[in-house]
Amino acid sequence: MHPTDPPAPVVAAVVVTFNRRAALQKTLARLLAEPLDHVLVIENGSTDGTRAWLATLDDPRLAVIEMDRNGGGALGFETGMREAQARFDPDWLVLMDDDARPQPGAIAAFRAGLASGRWPGAQALAAAVRFPDGGICEMNRPWVNPFASLPVFLRVLAGGGRAAFHIPDSAYAPGADRALDGTSFVGFFISRAGVARAGYPDGRLFIYGDDVLYTLGLTQAGGRLLFAPDLAFEHECATQIAGAIPRPFWKIYYNTRNRWLIYRRAAGPVLFPLLMALMLPKWLATGGSLPEGERQICRKLIRLAIRDAWRGDFGRSHAEVTRIAEGG
């Protein structure tokens, strides 16, 4: 490096883990082989030996925060981002789940892109996330807000469904950088300026939608988020079935409550009441094919979620949600 060159940007990874030691072992091996300055693991109260294993690692770049309870991915990412900013003051953060990791060379490619000015004005980047077999990981497919674009909104109304507002397969071609409204927290790069603009994720959400709300909040606040398909990540997760009822049942509560919050932010104050007039009857009728006992539990959780979202009440404990989901 020439004496007058600016210092290399500080890049820190944040990984949230809970009871997936084998997956985390793969992820940390990959991360510590990449040119990262810091790797911060948020250990969310695992009971599978994860903490003991982490204590055996010896790398000066690695830091671990042991949470006193499992606050879900949302609290994990909020805590991780806050702690990483306070401890390391990084120029960029990159977020991921414990079962997701950069492909070899992805962080080097990110650094090279920064050095070449590849993404001018971008405050955040979304990586291209695939399954280990190379297929596109649907749960991590970035998207544009259908309520902010009339052509996209019309495609949704015409029956285009999810594909109408998520980026197409063709966008994954190398070099096809494009603007987004939102993405997931797997392979999500955010700059110091992006954090200053968007703040931190809402840890009260527990799971589901924290990344959607955060990245949409960033772009609605004027932050520039780009899809960077040359930044390759893999997500070693099970394929999701769209529309399937989540199991265990406690997930129904968070999925419903947080979708309400997402729709409210995405649609805005004018369209949101109209949207919910369409959605609520469908939500309340969920579980029609379930056995009677399970159907009652499912719909009770949905009613509670709607009530809490309407009131803006995040005080219901996970223990209570779990008890209700188990028929208590």
Side-chain angles (χ1 to χ4, degrees), residues 21 66 153 179 326:
R21 184 180 61 182
E66 296 182 348
F153 184 66
E326 293 173 351

Side-chain angles (χ1 to χ4, degrees), residues 8-32:
V10 175
V11 183
V14 174
V15 185
V16 177
T17 188
F18 178 68
N19 278 351
R20 285 199 290 226
R21 184 180 61 182
L24 179 66
Q25 289 171 335
K26 294 181 183 179
T27 295
L28 286 186
R30 185 75 56 80
L31 288 173
L32 294 173

Side-chain angles (χ1 to χ4, degrees), residues 123-315:
Q123 294 183 339
L125 300 170
V129 185
R130 298 178 181 273
F131 293 114
D133 67 3
I136 294 171
C137 190
E138 288 299 327
M139 72 174 68
N140 304 126
R141 189 186 288 263
W143 47 275
V144 296
N145 184 0
F147 301 99
S149 168
L150 182 58
V152 176
F153 184 66
L154 292 176
R155 289 202 299 270
V156 173
L157 287 182
R162 191 175 186 274
F165 62 96
H166 284 74
I167 63 171
D169 291 0
S170 59
Y172 285 72
D177 302 343
R178 60 185 292 166
L180 304 168
D181 289 316
T183 189
S184 76
F185 277 168
V186 170
F188 175 61
F189 295 77
I190 184 165
S191 67
R192 182 188 292 112
V195 175
R197 185 183 295 271
Y200 297 96
D202 188 341
R204 301 174 301 171
L205 298 176
F206 198 78
I207 62 167
Y208 294 133
D210 50 314
D211 47 4
V212 174
L213 286 162
Y214 183 76
T215 57
L216 180 57
L218 170 68
T219 55
Q220 287 182 332
R224 182 167 170 76
L225 167 62
L226 295 179
F227 180 55
D230 293 346
L231 304 180
F233 268 63
E234 70 175 26
H235 197 176
E236 194 177 10
C237 60
T239 304
Q240 282 192 330
I241 302 174
I245 295 173
R247 290 183 183 270
F249 273 177
W250 58 260
K251 294 182 178 182
I252 295 169
Y253 171 82
Y254 299 107
N255 186 45
T256 304
R257 186 195 64 185
N258 296 351
R259 272 195 295 165
W260 173 290
L261 303 174
I262 290 166
Y263 289 164
R264 185 174 64 190
R265 174 167 289 178
V270 175
L271 291 178
F272 177 65
L274 299 176
L275 175 64
M276 295 315 295
L278 295 173
M279 297 304 299
L280 283 178
K282 297 180 181 179
W283 289 4
L284 294 170
T286 299
S289 61
L290 294 173
E292 182 178 356
E294 291 189 348
R295 181 169 63 249
Q296 291 176 354
I297 292 172
C298 172
R299 292 179 178 176
K300 181 177 181 178
L301 288 165
I302 289 171
R303 291 193 300 270
L304 288 174
I306 292 169
R307 185 177 71 181
D308 289 350
W310 174 269
R311 294 177 175 177
D313 182 359
F314 294 87

